[in-house]
Amino acid sequence: TGHCKAHGGGRRCEFPGCYTSARGGFGYCKAHGGGKRCERDGCRTSAEGSTNFCKAHGGGKRCQHDGCPKSAQGRSGFCIAHGGLHGVSENCQHEGCLTHARDKGGFCIAHGGGKRCQYEGCEKSARGKVPFCVSHGGGERCRQAGCLNAAEGVSGNCRVHGGGTRCRHEGCNAFVERRTKYCFEHFRGKQCEVEGCLKSPQWRSVFCKSHGGGERCQFEGCKKPARGSSGHCIMHGGGKRCLLEGCLTTTQGHADYCTPHLNFLQDATMTAMKSTFEIVSDMQCNQEC
């Protein structure tokens, strides 16, 4: 071809729409299954460097900080906690956050640090080598031909095609709940440690929300549970707000509007559909008559 790999030479990945160079004798790039795979039983992630394991299972370079077993980031020789990747070893500057900052701006991903999605109006973090979040095309895609859904877990497939992390309960193949190792049914089996309480404990806690489990509101003197990634309870601005301009009421469930405005929009939609149906029926009647 007259070009190096970086400028289009050599074999390209056979996955539709991918132009990265193929690895090994598989005909695919690392992201789509090419190259050497991790030898850990059940893991399909690519092996790092000259080792036979992926980063999660001990492969690749380790952090040079004394006693740290985490993987080194980039060419820094250190993990993120010890200044690797961006040379930042401090915690996020957001009040009450103990996560390490992702760049020299001083914030973690949840509070605005790192690359952000370039889709207009989106403030989520960008994933992978493209400047977009998972919802707008960033991150690894499902390996199944023709599927554009985001891949989940180490399988390289989306949830529809078998990807995602499964419940660790013996014999259960359901998806895990967010930030847990069990599905809803088997995670719910664990109960709050307050005597007589049957509710489920919150992530990284042995108590339910009512008894102090989970993240608390950061407003001074408030002990209510925080909602979403805002760090505040509903009363102090946390949670998802109605998208209707000027409305600050919280939304219900997965809806984008509060209950009153959602009902109003649904009624307006039904009225418009009914009017359109009547107009079409009258036109058909006139043509037949």
Short mmCIF file of all heavy atoms in Angstrom, two decimals, residues 92-150:
data_model
loop_
_atom_site.label_atom_id
_atom_site.label_comp_id
_atom_site.label_asym_id
_atom_site.label_seq_id
_atom_site.Cartn_x
_atom_site.Cartn_y
_atom_site.Cartn_z
N CYS A 92 -11.27 14.89 43.43
CA CYS A 92 -12.17 15.83 42.76
C CYS A 92 -12.44 17.03 43.67
O CYS A 92 -12.58 16.88 44.89
CB CYS A 92 -13.47 15.11 42.41
SG CYS A 92 -14.74 16.15 41.69
N GLN A 93 -12.52 18.23 43.09
CA GLN A 93 -12.72 19.45 43.86
C GLN A 93 -14.18 19.65 44.26
O GLN A 93 -14.49 20.57 45.03
CB GLN A 93 -12.25 20.65 43.05
CG GLN A 93 -10.76 20.67 42.79
CD GLN A 93 -10.32 21.87 41.96
OE1 GLN A 93 -11.10 22.79 41.74
NE2 GLN A 93 -9.08 21.84 41.49
N HIS A 94 -15.07 18.78 43.75
CA HIS A 94 -16.49 18.90 44.12
C HIS A 94 -16.63 18.56 45.60
O HIS A 94 -16.09 17.57 46.08
CB HIS A 94 -17.35 17.95 43.28
CG HIS A 94 -18.81 18.16 43.46
ND1 HIS A 94 -19.52 19.11 42.78
CD2 HIS A 94 -19.70 17.53 44.26
CE1 HIS A 94 -20.79 19.06 43.14
NE2 HIS A 94 -20.92 18.10 44.04
N GLU A 95 -17.36 19.37 46.34
CA GLU A 95 -17.48 19.20 47.79
C GLU A 95 -18.03 17.81 48.15
O GLU A 95 -19.07 17.38 47.67
CB GLU A 95 -18.40 20.28 48.37
CG GLU A 95 -18.47 20.27 49.88
CD GLU A 95 -19.37 21.37 50.42
OE1 GLU A 95 -19.87 22.17 49.60
OE2 GLU A 95 -19.55 21.42 51.65
N GLY A 96 -17.28 17.10 48.99
CA GLY A 96 -17.71 15.79 49.46
C GLY A 96 -17.35 14.63 48.56
O GLY A 96 -17.58 13.47 48.90
N CYS A 97 -16.76 14.89 47.38
CA CYS A 97 -16.42 13.81 46.44
C CYS A 97 -14.99 13.34 46.69
O CYS A 97 -14.05 14.15 46.74
CB CYS A 97 -16.57 14.30 45.00
SG CYS A 97 -16.21 13.01 43.78
N LEU A 98 -14.82 12.01 46.82
CA LEU A 98 -13.50 11.44 47.09
C LEU A 98 -12.90 10.74 45.87
O LEU A 98 -11.85 10.12 45.96
CB LEU A 98 -13.60 10.43 48.26
CG LEU A 98 -14.10 11.01 49.59
CD1 LEU A 98 -14.21 9.91 50.63
CD2 LEU A 98 -13.19 12.12 50.08
N THR A 99 -13.57 10.85 44.73
CA THR A 99 -13.06 10.24 43.50
C THR A 99 -11.90 11.08 42.97
O THR A 99 -11.87 12.30 43.14
CB THR A 99 -14.17 10.19 42.44
OG1 THR A 99 -15.31 9.55 43.00
CG2 THR A 99 -13.71 9.41 41.21
N HIS A 100 -10.95 10.42 42.31
CA HIS A 100 -9.79 11.13 41.80
C HIS A 100 -10.15 11.96 40.56
O HIS A 100 -10.96 11.56 39.74
CB HIS A 100 -8.67 10.15 41.44
CG HIS A 100 -8.09 9.48 42.64
ND1 HIS A 100 -7.24 10.11 43.51
CD2 HIS A 100 -8.26 8.23 43.14
CE1 HIS A 100 -6.90 9.28 44.49
NE2 HIS A 100 -7.51 8.14 44.28
N ALA A 101 -9.54 13.14 40.47
CA ALA A 101 -9.77 14.02 39.33
C ALA A 101 -9.26 13.37 38.05
O ALA A 101 -8.24 12.68 38.06
CB ALA A 101 -9.07 15.36 39.56
N ARG A 102 -9.96 13.61 36.94
CA ARG A 102 -9.61 12.97 35.67
C ARG A 102 -8.71 13.82 34.79
O ARG A 102 -8.15 13.35 33.83
CB ARG A 102 -10.88 12.64 34.90
CG ARG A 102 -11.73 11.59 35.55
CD ARG A 102 -11.06 10.25 35.59
NE ARG A 102 -10.91 9.67 34.27
CZ ARG A 102 -10.49 8.45 34.04
NH1 ARG A 102 -10.13 7.68 35.04
NH2 ARG A 102 -10.37 8.00 32.80
N ASP A 103 -8.60 15.09 35.09
CA ASP A 103 -7.71 15.95 34.31
C ASP A 103 -7.26 17.11 35.18
O ASP A 103 -7.57 17.19 36.37
CB ASP A 103 -8.41 16.45 33.04
CG ASP A 103 -9.74 17.12 33.34
OD1 ASP A 103 -9.89 17.66 34.45
OD2 ASP A 103 -10.62 17.11 32.47
N LYS A 104 -6.51 18.03 34.60
CA LYS A 104 -5.97 19.16 35.36
C LYS A 104 -7.03 20.18 35.71
O LYS A 104 -6.75 21.16 36.41
CB LYS A 104 -4.83 19.80 34.56
CG LYS A 104 -3.64 18.86 34.38
CD LYS A 104 -2.52 19.51 33.61
CE LYS A 104 -1.35 18.53 33.46
NZ LYS A 104 -0.22 19.12 32.69
N GLY A 105 -8.26 19.96 35.26
CA GLY A 105 -9.36 20.85 35.65
C GLY A 105 -9.77 20.63 37.09
O GLY A 105 -10.41 21.48 37.70
N GLY A 106 -9.43 19.44 37.64
CA GLY A 106 -9.67 19.19 39.05
C GLY A 106 -10.95 18.48 39.39
O GLY A 106 -11.34 18.43 40.56
N PHE A 107 -11.64 17.88 38.39
CA PHE A 107 -12.91 17.21 38.67
C PHE A 107 -12.92 15.78 38.13
O PHE A 107 -12.22 15.47 37.16
CB PHE A 107 -14.09 17.99 38.07
CG PHE A 107 -14.31 19.33 38.71
CD1 PHE A 107 -13.75 20.48 38.16
CD2 PHE A 107 -15.06 19.44 39.86
CE1 PHE A 107 -13.94 21.71 38.75
CE2 PHE A 107 -15.25 20.68 40.46
CZ PHE A 107 -14.69 21.81 39.90
N CYS A 108 -13.73 14.92 38.75
CA CYS A 108 -13.90 13.55 38.26
C CYS A 108 -14.89 13.57 37.10
O CYS A 108 -15.48 14.61 36.79
CB CYS A 108 -14.40 12.65 39.39
SG CYS A 108 -16.06 13.07 39.98
N ILE A 109 -15.13 12.41 36.50
CA ILE A 109 -16.04 12.33 35.35
C ILE A 109 -17.46 12.74 35.73
O ILE A 109 -18.14 13.47 35.01
CB ILE A 109 -16.03 10.91 34.76
CG1 ILE A 109 -14.71 10.65 34.04
CG2 ILE A 109 -17.19 10.70 33.80
CD1 ILE A 109 -14.60 9.26 33.44
N ALA A 110 -17.93 12.29 36.92
CA ALA A 110 -19.30 12.57 37.33
C ALA A 110 -19.55 14.07 37.54
O ALA A 110 -20.68 14.54 37.41
CB ALA A 110 -19.62 11.82 38.62
N HIS A 111 -18.49 14.83 37.84
CA HIS A 111 -18.64 16.26 38.12
C HIS A 111 -18.02 17.14 37.05
O HIS A 111 -17.63 18.28 37.32
CB HIS A 111 -18.07 16.58 39.50
CG HIS A 111 -18.80 15.92 40.61
ND1 HIS A 111 -18.20 15.08 41.53
CD2 HIS A 111 -20.13 15.95 40.94
CE1 HIS A 111 -19.11 14.64 42.38
NE2 HIS A 111 -20.28 15.15 42.06
N GLY A 112 -17.91 16.62 35.83
CA GLY A 112 -17.50 17.45 34.70
C GLY A 112 -16.08 17.29 34.23
O GLY A 112 -15.66 17.97 33.29
N GLY A 113 -15.30 16.41 34.84
CA GLY A 113 -13.92 16.22 34.41
C GLY A 113 -13.81 15.30 33.21
O GLY A 113 -14.76 14.59 32.85
N GLY A 114 -12.64 15.27 32.58
CA GLY A 114 -12.41 14.40 31.43
C GLY A 114 -13.08 14.93 30.16
O GLY A 114 -13.68 16.01 30.15
N LYS A 115 -12.97 14.16 29.09
CA LYS A 115 -13.58 14.56 27.82
C LYS A 115 -15.10 14.54 27.91
O LYS A 115 -15.67 13.63 28.49
CB LYS A 115 -13.13 13.63 26.69
CG LYS A 115 -11.66 13.69 26.36
CD LYS A 115 -11.35 12.87 25.12
CE LYS A 115 -11.73 11.42 25.30
NZ LYS A 115 -11.46 10.62 24.09
N ARG A 116 -15.74 15.53 27.31
CA ARG A 116 -17.19 15.58 27.31
C ARG A 116 -17.73 15.30 25.92
O ARG A 116 -17.06 15.52 24.91
CB ARG A 116 -17.71 16.94 27.78
CG ARG A 116 -17.09 17.51 29.03
CD ARG A 116 -16.97 16.54 30.16
NE ARG A 116 -18.22 16.15 30.78
CZ ARG A 116 -18.32 15.26 31.75
NH1 ARG A 116 -17.25 14.63 32.18
NH2 ARG A 116 -19.47 14.95 32.27
N CYS A 117 -18.97 14.82 25.87
CA CYS A 117 -19.63 14.53 24.60
C CYS A 117 -19.84 15.83 23.82
O CYS A 117 -20.23 16.86 24.39
CB CYS A 117 -20.97 13.86 24.87
SG CYS A 117 -21.93 13.48 23.39
N GLN A 118 -19.56 15.80 22.50
CA GLN A 118 -19.67 16.99 21.68
C GLN A 118 -21.04 17.14 21.01
O GLN A 118 -21.26 18.05 20.23
CB GLN A 118 -18.58 16.98 20.60
CG GLN A 118 -17.17 17.12 21.16
CD GLN A 118 -16.12 17.24 20.10
OE1 GLN A 118 -16.41 17.34 18.92
NE2 GLN A 118 -14.85 17.22 20.52
N TYR A 119 -21.96 16.20 21.34
CA TYR A 119 -23.31 16.33 20.80
C TYR A 119 -23.98 17.55 21.44
O TYR A 119 -23.88 17.76 22.64
CB TYR A 119 -24.12 15.06 21.10
CG TYR A 119 -25.43 14.98 20.38
CD1 TYR A 119 -25.51 14.44 19.11
CD2 TYR A 119 -26.60 15.45 20.97
CE1 TYR A 119 -26.72 14.35 18.43
CE2 TYR A 119 -27.82 15.37 20.31
CZ TYR A 119 -27.86 14.83 19.04
OH TYR A 119 -29.06 14.75 18.37
N GLU A 120 -24.63 18.36 20.63
CA GLU A 120 -25.21 19.62 21.10
C GLU A 120 -26.17 19.41 22.27
O GLU A 120 -27.11 18.63 22.19
CB GLU A 120 -25.94 20.33 19.96
CG GLU A 120 -26.43 21.72 20.31
CD GLU A 120 -27.09 22.42 19.14
OE1 GLU A 120 -27.13 21.82 18.05
OE2 GLU A 120 -27.57 23.55 19.33
N GLY A 121 -25.87 20.08 23.38
CA GLY A 121 -26.73 20.01 24.55
C GLY A 121 -26.43 18.85 25.49
O GLY A 121 -27.04 18.75 26.56
N CYS A 122 -25.50 17.96 25.14
CA CYS A 122 -25.18 16.80 25.98
C CYS A 122 -23.97 17.12 26.85
O CYS A 122 -22.95 17.61 26.37
CB CYS A 122 -24.90 15.58 25.12
SG CYS A 122 -24.55 14.08 26.10
N GLU A 123 -24.07 16.80 28.15
CA GLU A 123 -22.98 17.07 29.10
C GLU A 123 -22.35 15.80 29.65
O GLU A 123 -21.56 15.85 30.59
CB GLU A 123 -23.51 17.94 30.25
CG GLU A 123 -24.02 19.30 29.79
CD GLU A 123 -24.54 20.13 30.94
OE1 GLU A 123 -24.61 19.60 32.06
OE2 GLU A 123 -24.87 21.31 30.71
N LYS A 124 -22.68 14.66 29.06
CA LYS A 124 -22.11 13.39 29.54
C LYS A 124 -20.66 13.25 29.10
O LYS A 124 -20.19 13.97 28.23
CB LYS A 124 -22.93 12.21 29.00
CG LYS A 124 -24.35 12.16 29.53
CD LYS A 124 -25.09 10.96 28.96
CE LYS A 124 -26.51 10.89 29.45
NZ LYS A 124 -27.25 9.74 28.86
N SER A 125 -19.95 12.31 29.71
CA SER A 125 -18.54 12.10 29.37
C SER A 125 -18.41 11.31 28.07
O SER A 125 -19.22 10.42 27.79
CB SER A 125 -17.82 11.35 30.49
OG SER A 125 -18.39 10.07 30.69
N ALA A 126 -17.40 11.66 27.27
CA ALA A 126 -17.14 10.94 26.03
C ALA A 126 -16.51 9.59 26.34
O ALA A 126 -15.78 9.45 27.31
CB ALA A 126 -16.22 11.77 25.14
N ARG A 127 -16.79 8.60 25.51
CA ARG A 127 -16.28 7.25 25.73
C ARG A 127 -15.46 6.79 24.52
O ARG A 127 -15.82 7.03 23.38
CB ARG A 127 -17.44 6.27 25.95
CG ARG A 127 -18.23 6.54 27.21
CD ARG A 127 -17.38 6.37 28.46
NE ARG A 127 -18.13 6.60 29.67
CZ ARG A 127 -18.78 5.65 30.33
NH1 ARG A 127 -18.75 4.41 29.90
NH2 ARG A 127 -19.45 5.94 31.43
N GLY A 128 -14.35 6.10 24.81
CA GLY A 128 -13.53 5.55 23.73
C GLY A 128 -12.75 6.62 23.00
O GLY A 128 -12.42 7.68 23.53
N LYS A 129 -12.47 6.35 21.73
CA LYS A 129 -11.64 7.25 20.92
C LYS A 129 -12.43 8.30 20.17
O LYS A 129 -11.87 9.10 19.44
CB LYS A 129 -10.82 6.41 19.93
CG LYS A 129 -9.86 5.44 20.60
CD LYS A 129 -9.08 4.64 19.57
CE LYS A 129 -8.12 3.68 20.24
NZ LYS A 129 -7.34 2.88 19.26
N VAL A 130 -13.74 8.28 20.33
CA VAL A 130 -14.57 9.28 19.65
C VAL A 130 -15.10 10.29 20.67
O VAL A 130 -15.25 9.96 21.84
CB VAL A 130 -15.76 8.61 18.92
CG1 VAL A 130 -15.26 7.72 17.81
CG2 VAL A 130 -16.62 7.82 19.89
N PRO A 131 -15.37 11.52 20.26
CA PRO A 131 -15.80 12.56 21.21
C PRO A 131 -17.29 12.54 21.53
O PRO A 131 -17.94 13.58 21.53
CB PRO A 131 -15.40 13.85 20.49
CG PRO A 131 -15.56 13.51 19.04
CD PRO A 131 -15.16 12.07 18.91
N PHE A 132 -17.86 11.35 21.76
CA PHE A 132 -19.27 11.25 22.07
C PHE A 132 -19.51 10.28 23.21
O PHE A 132 -18.70 9.37 23.45
CB PHE A 132 -20.06 10.79 20.83
CG PHE A 132 -20.02 11.76 19.69
CD1 PHE A 132 -19.15 11.57 18.63
CD2 PHE A 132 -20.83 12.88 19.67
CE1 PHE A 132 -19.08 12.46 17.58
CE2 PHE A 132 -20.78 13.78 18.62
CZ PHE A 132 -19.91 13.58 17.57
N CYS A 133 -20.61 10.44 23.91
CA CYS A 133 -20.99 9.52 24.97
C CYS A 133 -21.59 8.25 24.35
O CYS A 133 -21.79 8.19 23.14
CB CYS A 133 -21.99 10.18 25.92
SG CYS A 133 -23.59 10.55 25.13
N VAL A 134 -21.92 7.27 25.17
CA VAL A 134 -22.47 6.00 24.68
C VAL A 134 -23.79 6.22 23.95
O VAL A 134 -24.06 5.64 22.91
CB VAL A 134 -22.66 5.01 25.85
CG1 VAL A 134 -23.40 3.76 25.38
CG2 VAL A 134 -21.31 4.62 26.44
N SER A 135 -24.65 7.12 24.49
CA SER A 135 -25.96 7.37 23.89
C SER A 135 -25.86 7.97 22.49
O SER A 135 -26.74 7.76 21.66
CB SER A 135 -26.77 8.32 24.78
OG SER A 135 -26.98 7.77 26.05
N HIS A 136 -24.77 8.69 22.22
CA HIS A 136 -24.62 9.36 20.92
C HIS A 136 -23.54 8.74 20.04
O HIS A 136 -22.97 9.40 19.18
CB HIS A 136 -24.33 10.85 21.14
CG HIS A 136 -25.46 11.57 21.80
ND1 HIS A 136 -25.33 12.31 22.95
CD2 HIS A 136 -26.78 11.65 21.46
CE1 HIS A 136 -26.50 12.82 23.29
NE2 HIS A 136 -27.40 12.45 22.40
N GLY A 137 -23.24 7.46 20.29
CA GLY A 137 -22.35 6.73 19.38
C GLY A 137 -20.95 6.45 19.90
O GLY A 137 -20.15 5.83 19.21
N GLY A 138 -20.62 6.90 21.10
CA GLY A 138 -19.29 6.65 21.65
C GLY A 138 -19.17 5.28 22.28
O GLY A 138 -20.16 4.57 22.47
N GLY A 139 -17.95 4.90 22.61
CA GLY A 139 -17.72 3.61 23.25
C GLY A 139 -17.77 2.45 22.27
O GLY A 139 -18.03 2.61 21.08
N GLU A 140 -17.55 1.26 22.79
CA GLU A 140 -17.53 0.06 21.95
C GLU A 140 -18.94 -0.33 21.55
O GLU A 140 -19.87 -0.27 22.36
CB GLU A 140 -16.86 -1.08 22.72
CG GLU A 140 -16.63 -2.33 21.89
CD GLU A 140 -16.00 -3.45 22.69
OE1 GLU A 140 -15.63 -3.20 23.85
OE2 GLU A 140 -15.87 -4.57 22.16
N ARG A 141 -19.11 -0.74 20.30
CA ARG A 141 -20.41 -1.18 19.80
C ARG A 141 -20.50 -2.71 19.80
O ARG A 141 -19.49 -3.41 19.84
CB ARG A 141 -20.63 -0.68 18.36
CG ARG A 141 -20.62 0.82 18.20
CD ARG A 141 -21.90 1.45 18.75
NE ARG A 141 -21.68 2.23 19.95
CZ ARG A 141 -22.63 2.86 20.61
NH1 ARG A 141 -23.88 2.78 20.20
NH2 ARG A 141 -22.36 3.54 21.70
N CYS A 142 -21.70 -3.22 19.74
CA CYS A 142 -21.94 -4.67 19.72
C CYS A 142 -21.27 -5.31 18.51
O CYS A 142 -21.25 -4.75 17.42
CB CYS A 142 -23.45 -4.93 19.68
SG CYS A 142 -23.91 -6.68 19.64
N ARG A 143 -20.71 -6.51 18.71
CA ARG A 143 -19.97 -7.20 17.64
C ARG A 143 -20.88 -7.87 16.62
O ARG A 143 -20.44 -8.27 15.55
CB ARG A 143 -19.06 -8.27 18.25
CG ARG A 143 -17.91 -7.70 19.07
CD ARG A 143 -17.12 -8.81 19.70
NE ARG A 143 -16.03 -8.31 20.52
CZ ARG A 143 -15.27 -9.07 21.30
NH1 ARG A 143 -15.51 -10.36 21.37
NH2 ARG A 143 -14.29 -8.54 22.01
N GLN A 144 -22.16 -8.02 16.95
CA GLN A 144 -23.07 -8.69 16.02
C GLN A 144 -23.28 -7.84 14.77
O GLN A 144 -23.49 -6.62 14.86
CB GLN A 144 -24.42 -8.96 16.70
CG GLN A 144 -24.33 -9.90 17.88
CD GLN A 144 -23.89 -11.29 17.47
OE1 GLN A 144 -24.33 -11.82 16.44
NE2 GLN A 144 -23.02 -11.90 18.25
N ALA A 145 -23.21 -8.47 13.62
CA ALA A 145 -23.33 -7.75 12.34
C ALA A 145 -24.65 -6.98 12.26
O ALA A 145 -25.72 -7.53 12.53
CB ALA A 145 -23.24 -8.74 11.19
N GLY A 146 -24.55 -5.70 11.94
CA GLY A 146 -25.73 -4.86 11.78
C GLY A 146 -26.27 -4.26 13.05
O GLY A 146 -27.20 -3.46 13.00
N CYS A 147 -25.70 -4.61 14.21
CA CYS A 147 -26.19 -4.09 15.49
C CYS A 147 -25.36 -2.88 15.90
O CYS A 147 -24.13 -2.95 15.95
CB CYS A 147 -26.13 -5.17 16.58
SG CYS A 147 -26.77 -4.59 18.17
N LEU A 148 -26.03 -1.77 16.22
CA LEU A 148 -25.35 -0.54 16.59
C LEU A 148 -25.49 -0.21 18.07
O LEU A 148 -25.10 0.87 18.52
CB LEU A 148 -25.90 0.63 15.76
CG LEU A 148 -25.72 0.51 14.24
CD1 LEU A 148 -26.35 1.70 13.54
CD2 LEU A 148 -24.24 0.41 13.88
N ASN A 149 -26.03 -1.15 18.85
CA ASN A 149 -26.18 -0.92 20.28
C ASN A 149 -24.81 -0.93 20.96
O ASN A 149 -23.85 -1.52 20.46
CB ASN A 149 -27.05 -2.00 20.92
CG ASN A 149 -28.48 -1.93 20.46
OD1 ASN A 149 -28.97 -0.86 20.10
ND2 ASN A 149 -29.17 -3.05 20.44
N ALA A 150 -24.72 -0.30 22.12
CA ALA A 150 -23.46 -0.26 22.87
C ALA A 150 -23.16 -1.62 23.48
O ALA A 150 -24.06 -2.29 24.00
CB ALA A 150 -23.54 0.80 23.96
#
